[in-house]
Amino acid sequence: MKKHTLVALMQDRPGVLTRAVSLFRRRGFNIESLTVGHSETPGISRMTLVVESEAVEQVVKQLYRLIEVLKVSDVTDDPAVEREMALVKVHCTNTNRSEIVTLTQLFDAKIVDVANTSIIVEMTGSPNKVQNFVDVIRPFGIKEMMRTGRVAMVRGARTHQGSDYVGAEENGHVAASTWN
Amino acid sequence: MSEKMTGAHIMCEALVREGVEVIFGIPGGAIMPFYYAMYEYRDKFRHILCRHEQGAGHAAEGYARATGRVGVCVATSGPGATNLVTPIADAWMDSTPLVAITGQVSSLVVGKDAFQETDITGITMPITKHNYLVKRIDDIPYVMKEAFYLASTGRPGPVLVDITKDAQQARTVPNWDIKLALPGYKPTLQGNRKQIRAAVELLTGAQKPLIMAGNGVIMAGATEELRTFAERTGIPVITTLHGLGAFPEDHPLSIGMPGMHGWVHVNRAIQECDVLINIGGRFDDRVTGKASTFAPNARVIHVDIDPSEIGKNVRTEVPIVGDAKLVLQALIEEMPPREATAWMQHIRQLQATHQHKQQYLNRPDTNQLMPHDVYAALNRTLKERGNYRVITDVGQHQMWAAQLIDWSRPRSHITSGGSGTMGFAVPAALGAAIACPDETIWVICGDGGFQMTNQELATIVQEGITNIKIAIINNGYLGMVRQWQELFEDRRYSHTLLSGPDFARLAEAYGVCGMTVETVDGVEPAIEAAYNHKGTVVIDFRVEREVNVFPMVPQGKSIGDMIEQQPTANPTA
Ligand SMILES: Cc1ncc(C[n+]2csc(CCOP(=O)(O)OP(=O)(O)O)c2C)c(N)n1
Ligand SMILES: [Mg+2]
């Protein structure tokens, strides 16, 4: 089954994330990753989701049924920057520490914490690159790992801006509201 | 108005501003401030005190389905709100415009498992078009306005507004200068011209075209347009369960209902047709049977106001998102007149060689009261007298009603389709009776469904409603389930044998007229007496118990594979 990367813009109303997640569960959509956060426009959240589905069109259409959803784009086949981040706590000893440091440098990852028997590496990159890093580092012994979902943005002049869909005035009430 | 008002008064004021004339509900702790305020609005809108919140919800649905306007129901928090879940789900499945207002515990204790606290917005999230938890009085005017707007526009549906008790009790000067902020909600009404031309091209080249009309035609008020379009093109029209009445069944181009209990010739026509245009139906599995085998030769055009319905169940070549009325108008403009007489003749031949209404009504030679005797008499009476609505419940009696009554007017047939909610009919009739006080509201229900919500007879009596006539098709079984057990489970009648009270006496206990009919001869006089009685009537038709609904597509089978009549091994029916 093909994996699709979708980018969705939605009004930041109470419960909007729950609504989206509830919808995926109820319709049996298989969501591999989901990341939400603020967009450039106040009051508009941006979601990136990776969904494994033959019927990605249904995912898009069902999302549009949520009244908060402004725009959903399938960017799978677009030239897009896709990024994930992982925090990995790697087991280390005095003898292999430098080897881990070298690998980290090779992957352009960052060491963010060093202790006697462990190192925390912050790895950011394309989903593939993050996976490769994790595969390479695993033999050293991963004590703990936290990977984020994917975020995506199409390259070049094309944009998915919240302000394309919401006039500042139109969004005024929503941004000010606290319905929960 | 620059006076301070309570949140509860603002709620009432909002209802008045939305033009609400009646609401259905039951009070309780968390909604008491609203009821307190409503006392001052007695001459502005009517409140019907139901006996169960499920009844209030279905009554609001019945009102909405009879009129096309938004139905409103009210309940308190906790159990009051959860009792509304069934009608809300029902309205969701049948796209019925409904606003459900519930009281919630004070915002200070929300989330603390307070007395009668239930997360009703969480519970109803998957069965509402949208819902709100309102904790601040300032949000009430906006939310109420948006709720009514969402419930009634685009693809209609239920919206729930849950308002905390402290928001109802607070005081403020309401701001009615509201501009809705719904940039993500812009229903498409006009069909895309390019797609409309593509549809016209398909239809023009078709040898065996079919029109399938669904609920969308009725909700869009597009029956005239449908008729014009059909007459201009000569294309045969089929009407789904919720499309019954969208096109008169006595029209020469009407061929009837498709699906699980549709007619053989209709399902055959679907399987043979080369172009199928579905207007305002959602290709429910009770219509399509096994979807992969549905209309195998057809190029499908699907007109729906909800884009997510298109391509969901049936592959579609020409999608047209829009309002049925506007799309039909555009189709009429673009489509050159044509005829499809050979195809129509072929369908009529199919009809003549397979079981259809007339044959169905040829009763077997027995003195036992057959269900069909009741329908034959009712159909005659309805035609003669006109001015009726028929509300059906769920089960065999519902399918017989759909099959055997000659539907001719939009909104004259009201039933629970998508959800198949037993217990729908009696309370829905209460709502329809209030909406249409000058019409006769017939309820056709089973002995099972009647026992689920007949408590609303007390409401009907208290409210002085006199135009409801209830026909119970009493077979002493959960008939539809029994039928499946008979046909597919080797007659293992596991827990479908059903007793009940003496319904006529029960009716009398409620203070309405009760009658019992056990013979064929008794049917017409009872119906006549029901019309002559100025008040609600319950007729207990004790019918032959093991009669089945045919034809039938077994679940999961292709609609081409119908069981046309009772397998001969079984002597009944
Ligand atoms: C609330 C609810 N519970 C159960 C069912 C399953 N069900 C469908 S039809 C049916 C039998 C209905 O019996 P009755 O009301 O007597 O009507 P009949 O089929 O005998 O005409 C049942 C139990 C349902 N549709 N709704
Ligand atoms: Mg029964």
Side-chain angles (χ1 to χ4, degrees):
Chain A
M1 243 187 282
K2 190 172 173 183
K3 281 183 190 168
H4 294 264
T5 307
L6 305 182
V7 172
L9 293 174
M10 44 193 67
Q11 275 179 299
D12 190 11
R13 285 188 175 199
V16 59
L17 180 59
T18 324
R19 278 177 215 284
V21 173
S22 155
L23 163 69
F24 300 146
R25 176 194 56 77
R26 167 164 59 102
R27 300 266 172 197
F29 298 144
N30 194 0
I31 303 298
E32 188 180 285
S33 105
L34 185 155
T35 312
V36 206
H38 295 301
S39 71
E40 76 296 326
T41 311
I44 304 296
S45 299
R46 180 164 168 144
M47 179 188 279
T48 305
L49 64 147
V50 181
V51 54
E52 209 175 297
S53 174
E54 297 286 315
V56 72
E57 205 184 307
Q58 260 300 305
V59 182
V60 173
K61 285 176 169 178
Q62 291 296 340
L63 269 172
Y64 271 123
R65 285 182 86 181
L66 301 180
I67 63 136
E68 300 92 339
V69 170
L70 302 168
K71 179 72 187 167
V72 186
S73 317
D74 186 345
V75 303
T76 316
D77 299 323
D78 295 339
V81 180
E82 298 195 359
R83 289 291 178 269
E84 280 179 24
M85 187 176 105
L87 287 177
V88 191
K89 191 180 279 180
V90 192
H91 180 78
C92 73
T93 58
N94 284 336
T95 43
N96 68 9
R97 185 175 289 118
S98 60
E99 205 179 333
I100 294 171
V101 171
T102 314
L103 276 173
T104 305
Q105 284 163 350
L106 276 176
F107 275 88
D108 265 341
K110 252 196 253 167
I111 290 170
V112 288
D113 179 67
V114 180
N116 274 340
T117 58
S118 67
I119 291 179
I120 299 181
V121 184
E122 174 194 320
M123 171 67 207
T124 304
S126 70
N128 258 342
K129 194 170 165 189
V130 173
Q131 187 57 47
N132 285 345
F133 175 74
V134 171
D135 290 345
V136 166
I137 213 79
R138 195 178 292 281
F140 293 91
I142 295 177
K143 291 178 145 187
E144 233 182 288
M145 177 165 76
M146 173 72 222
R147 284 174 77 161
T148 64
R150 192 174 307 182
V151 292
M153 194 171 283
V154 173
R155 293 176 191 272
R158 232 182 86 203
T159 56
H160 295 91
Q161 280 177 5
S163 51
D164 291 349
Y165 307 97
V166 202
E169 166 212 19
E170 206 171 2
N171 203 35
H173 178 88
V174 180
S177 170
T178 50
W179 293 338
N180 60 356
Chain B
M1 235 176 310
S2 54
E3 266 172 60
K4 276 196 174 186
M5 302 169 83
T6 68
H9 283 84
I10 296 172
M11 289 159 71
C12 292
E13 196 58 39
L15 293 178
V16 172
R17 282 166 186 262
E18 294 298 331
V20 171
E21 53 179 24
V22 60
I23 68 176
F24 305 86
I26 300 184
I31 195 75
M32 275 185 70
F34 176 62
Y35 273 80
Y36 181 89
M38 215 165 33
Y39 200 69
E40 288 151 47
Y41 284 80
R42 277 168 300 173
D43 57 342
K44 300 272 180 42
F45 58 86
R46 188 171 172 189
H47 174 271
I48 307 291
L49 177 66
C50 291
R51 296 300 182 272
H52 189 297
E53 288 85 356
Q54 183 189 355
H58 289 320
E61 281 190 280
Y63 174 86
R65 295 277 295 282
T67 58
R69 308 181 59 194
V70 178
V72 183
C73 55
V74 192
T76 191
S77 65
T82 54
N83 276 347
L84 283 181
V85 169
T86 300
I88 290 173
D90 193 86
W92 169 250
M93 292 299 278
D94 286 345
S95 309
T96 305
L98 182 78
V99 168
I101 298 168
T102 49
Q104 183 53 281
V105 299
S106 160
S107 66
L108 302 172
V109 291
V110 164
K112 306 211 161 107
D113 302 318
F115 177 66
Q116 291 193 330
E117 178 185 2
T118 297
D119 174 15
I120 196 64
T121 43
I123 289 173
T124 58
M125 198 170 277
I127 51 169
T128 49
K129 191 165 165 185
H130 198 62
N131 64 20
Y132 309 82
L133 170 57
V134 182
K135 292 180 178 175
R136 295 191 336 169
I137 184 173
D138 291 342
D139 291 328
I140 294 175
Y142 181 89
V143 168
M144 292 292 282
K145 181 162 179 147
E146 192 176 275
F148 275 85
Y149 179 70
L150 290 175
S152 59
T153 55
R155 179 183 185 175
V159 176
L160 176 128
V161 183
D162 193 26
I163 307 185
T164 61
K165 191 168 184 177
D166 52 333
Q168 296 173 53
Q169 286 167 323
R171 292 174 154 274
T172 190
V173 179
N175 176 8
W176 297 108
D177 181 21
I178 298 161
K179 207 164 152 272
L180 293 184
L182 289 167
Y185 179 78
K186 300 218 163 77
T188 306
L189 300 179
Q190 289 288 357
N192 179 300
R193 272 288 152 166
K194 228 179 76 202
Q195 299 291 3
I196 283 171
R197 296 212 174 100
V200 166
E201 203 180 307
L202 273 193
L203 288 166
T204 312
Q207 300 299 312
K208 301 173 172 185
L210 268 187
I211 298 170
M212 181 187 275
N215 201 5
V217 172
I218 292 173
M219 289 198 290
T223 46
E224 273 313 306
E225 286 78 3
L226 174 63
R227 193 185 176 120
T228 309
F229 180 64
E231 285 172 356
R232 190 175 166 81
T233 56
I235 303 176
V237 179
I238 63 188
T239 35
T240 68
L241 181 67
H242 273 325
L244 295 174
F247 193 74
E249 290 197 321
D250 57 4
H251 191 284
L253 287 169
S254 166
I255 61 169
M257 188 175 78
M260 182 174 268
H261 291 295
W263 300 112
V264 175
H265 67 274
V266 178
N267 284 345
R268 289 277 173 87
I270 293 175
Q271 295 305 78
E272 286 181 30
C273 74
D274 56 1
V275 174
L276 175 68
I277 176 165
N278 176 354
I279 308 171
R282 61 182 177 85
F283 286 124
D284 179 82
D285 55 275
R286 286 292 200 258
V287 166
T288 63
K290 188 175 174 190
S292 60
T293 62
F294 176 78
N297 308 308
R299 301 170 76 176
V300 175
I301 304 160
H302 192 175
V303 180
D304 204 297
I305 199 158
D306 180 352
S308 76
E309 288 301 345
I310 299 177
K312 186 180 79 178
N313 296 344
V314 168
R315 79 214 127 57
T316 299
E317 188 168 326
V318 181
I320 303 179
V321 178
D323 174 81
K325 192 181 183 93
L326 297 175
V327 171
L328 273 163
Q329 283 168 352
L331 283 168
I332 292 165
E333 268 171 38
E334 299 279 342
M335 181 98 189
R338 52 158 287 158
E339 284 181 13
T341 24
W343 166 233
M344 192 65 195
Q345 270 165 12
H346 172 67
I347 297 173
R348 290 295 179 214
Q349 250 155 26
L350 281 173
Q351 180 174 338
T353 48
H354 294 280
Q355 171 164 243
H356 187 55
K357 285 187 196 190
Q358 291 329 111
Q359 277 153 292
Y360 212 128
L361 293 173
N362 288 341
R363 64 186 314 282
D365 195 15
T366 150
N367 293 324
Q368 220 340 50
L369 177 61
M370 301 296 285
H372 307 90
D373 297 323
V374 180
Y375 291 95
L378 258 178
N379 194 37
R380 268 196 304 278
T381 313
L382 294 178
K383 263 193 199 160
E384 269 166 37
R385 294 181 177 257
N387 214 24
Y388 61 86
R389 311 283 173 138
V390 177
I391 324 288
T392 64
D393 210 76
V394 173
Q396 293 184 306
H397 63 278
Q398 173 193 35
M399 291 298 115
W400 283 318
Q403 291 180 332
L404 299 174
I405 290 171
D406 296 318
W407 302 105
S408 61
R409 278 188 302 120
R411 301 191 185 282
S412 62
H413 170 259
I414 297 172
T415 196
S416 167
S419 229
T421 308
M422 280 171 74
F424 171 84
V426 172
L430 156 64
I434 286 170
C436 317
D438 302 325
E439 298 184 43
T440 303
I441 314 298
W442 274 98
V443 169
I444 302 178
C445 67
D447 47 319
F450 184 73
Q451 290 187 69
M452 287 196 177
T453 51
N454 67 65
Q455 78 284 343
E456 298 308 331
L457 279 171
T459 312
I460 289 166
V461 170
Q462 181 172 358
E463 294 296 332
I465 293 163
T466 56
N467 54 335
I468 298 177
K469 315 289 170 187
I470 300 173
I472 304 174
I473 308 298
N474 183 359
N475 52 15
Y477 277 112
L478 295 170
M480 186 56 94
V481 181
R482 187 207 54 76
Q483 170 168 347
W484 286 42
Q485 290 172 335
E486 175 185 333
L487 295 175
F488 312 119
E489 296 180 351
D490 218 11
R491 302 183 67 109
R492 275 166 66 112
Y493 289 172
S494 178
H495 307 285
T496 43
L497 180 69
L498 183 75
S499 74
D502 179 331
F503 292 122
R505 288 178 62 197
L506 179 70
E508 299 288 345
Y510 276 117
V512 305
C513 169
M515 295 183 239
T516 307
V517 176
E518 287 176 299
T519 61
V520 185
D521 301 342
V523 176
E524 295 236 344
I527 292 175
E528 197 57 33
Y531 270 99
N532 293 334
H533 178 77
K534 296 272 165 288
T536 299
V537 175
V538 175
I539 315 176
D540 179 2
F541 289 106
R542 302 203 179 154
V543 298
E544 170 70 36
R545 301 188 57 199
E546 298 192 27
V547 184
N548 293 331
V549 186
F550 291 112
M552 174 179 197
V553 181
Q555 186 166 30
K557 287 272 165 55
S558 156
I559 57 166
D561 296 335
M562 293 197 89
I563 308 176
E564 295 198 29
Q565 49 199 315
Q566 185 70 35
T568 41
N570 178 2
T572 34

